[in-house]
Amino acid sequence: MESVSVFGIRIDNITLEEASRTVEEYLMEDGLKTISTPNTEIVMNAKDDEYLRRIINESDLVIPDGIGLIYGSRIRKKPLKERVTGFDLSIKLLEIANKKGYSLFLLGGKEGVAKRAGENIKIKYPNIRLAGYHHGYFKGSHTGHKDYEEELEIIDKINKSKPDIIFVGFGFPRQEIWIAENKNRIYGKVIIGNGGTMDILSGDSKRAPEIFQKLGLEWLYRLIREPKRIKRQVVLPKFMLYVLFFKDAIQ
């Protein structure tokens, strides 16, 4: 699979439809395949963090979830085909699971979020087998807590439920760390760290209106709704400055 390197982070040059076909193939194979969904903010965080770069690069599929990545790659004449969001690929996974009768485990969010997301998924995708769910507030490798007993109990719960697909919604970088640290313990076919997807599926959050999505301005919509995000969003112009002034930033 062709890829582009952004600050040393591998981004697969893939469309949503190509990503959908790839995960459909994963679901027919043995072993657990991991999917990372880096956006511009995540890339800027991982740029100077060797461990985060490594765990993203070791993922089986790394999709370009940030509009800044698309613009930056075009500026440096290494164009990524299109933005592929973790949310959109997650919905494709649900559609595939509904068509083929695959099973799903939901892990993440506050108490009750995964449960509500599961209930809504079952209404819209009745052929999915909901294997189970659990909130994201437990002690484990994603929190840096040294007592992993609770985490191992949850992994045992996941494995006993025999899911084909696992959604992990802890937010970056906790979900990426958790998947990397535990992927060799988990039985399944596809595991994806998909951030706030579960909050949207549960009805607790709303996705940006379609016009914001089409223009690649979901970050602006979130900033308008949550002005405190301004400290996080300053990475976007910073990213573009790096791209403009460092010709080797994207290869």
Side-chain angles (χ1 to χ4, degrees):
M1 186 185 300
E2 182 189 350
S3 63
V4 173
S5 174
V6 183
F7 302 133
I9 296 144
R10 183 189 110 232
I11 308 292
D12 293 323
N13 196 1
I14 197 166
T15 66
L16 178 59
E17 288 306 315
E18 289 168 344
S20 300
R21 289 196 293 272
T22 298
V23 297
E24 197 161 7
E25 290 171 4
Y26 288 167
L27 287 162
M28 293 186 285
E29 298 172 1
D30 293 327
L32 183 70
K33 299 294 194 300
T34 58
I35 303 173
S36 287
T37 62
N39 57 21
T40 312
E41 182 184 350
I42 289 171
V43 165
M44 287 297 284
N45 274 278
K47 179 173 71 71
D48 300 315
D49 190 315
E50 184 179 351
Y51 178 63
L52 291 179
R53 284 201 311 276
R54 178 167 62 82
I55 63 178
I56 292 172
N57 288 341
E58 288 177 353
S59 299
D60 294 287
L61 180 63
V62 185
I63 60 174
D65 191 345
I67 195 65
L69 303 180
I70 307 303
Y71 292 149
S73 68
R74 291 173 181 170
I75 288 169
R76 283 296 163 200
K77 311 298 183 185
K78 297 285 184 180
L80 290 162
K81 294 175 183 177
E82 68 179 31
R83 183 185 179 208
V84 182
T85 71
F87 180 84
D88 288 335
L89 186 56
S90 298
I91 295 302
K92 289 289 186 181
L93 276 165
L94 293 179
E95 291 171 355
I96 293 166
N98 190 55
K99 183 179 177 181
K100 301 288 183 68
Y102 289 126
S103 57
L104 170 71
F105 194 100
L106 301 169
L107 180 65
K110 296 178 181 178
E111 184 75 53
V113 168
K115 181 177 185 291
R116 289 192 295 276
E119 291 168 350
N120 290 339
I121 287 168
K122 283 297 292 180
I123 292 169
K124 190 168 184 178
Y125 307 98
N127 293 326
I128 291 177
R129 182 176 72 82
L130 188 61
Y133 52 82
H134 198 282
H135 63 79
Y137 289 78
F138 59 90
K139 297 171 184 175
S141 49
H142 63 306
T143 63
H145 199 281
K146 300 301 181 182
D147 181 4
Y148 298 148
E149 185 177 347
E150 188 177 5
E151 176 173 77
L152 294 174
E153 288 174 357
I154 290 166
I155 291 170
D156 186 55
K157 178 181 178 180
I158 293 170
N159 289 339
K160 283 179 177 177
S161 73
K162 298 181 179 178
D164 297 300
I165 302 164
I166 304 154
F167 284 3
V168 181
F170 300 154
F172 177 85
R174 293 189 303 142
Q175 63 198 16
E176 285 75 17
I177 292 170
W178 192 86
I179 291 170
E181 294 290 335
N182 294 290
K183 62 185 180 182
N184 293 327
R185 298 186 180 115
I186 296 170
Y187 306 136
K189 299 295 182 66
V190 170
I191 187 166
I192 178 171
N194 53 11
T197 295
M198 227 172 298
D199 290 306
I200 296 172
L201 292 171
S202 70
D204 287 39
S205 296
K206 289 185 178 181
R207 201 177 181 195
E210 193 170 344
I211 185 65
F212 283 85
Q213 296 176 41
K214 286 182 177 179
L215 294 173
L217 294 173
E218 286 177 277
W219 61 271
L220 179 59
Y221 176 78
R222 289 194 294 269
L223 181 59
I224 293 168
R225 290 177 62 90
E226 301 175 61
K228 64 182 180 181
R229 295 176 66 97
I230 188 67
K231 290 182 180 178
R232 292 172 55 183
Q233 298 298 352
V234 295
V235 301
L236 300 176
K238 190 176 179 181
F239 171 83
M240 296 309 297
L241 287 171
Y242 270 103
V243 170
L244 288 168
F245 290 104
F246 295 91
K247 64 180 181 179
D248 296 331
I250 297 178
Q251 298 179 334

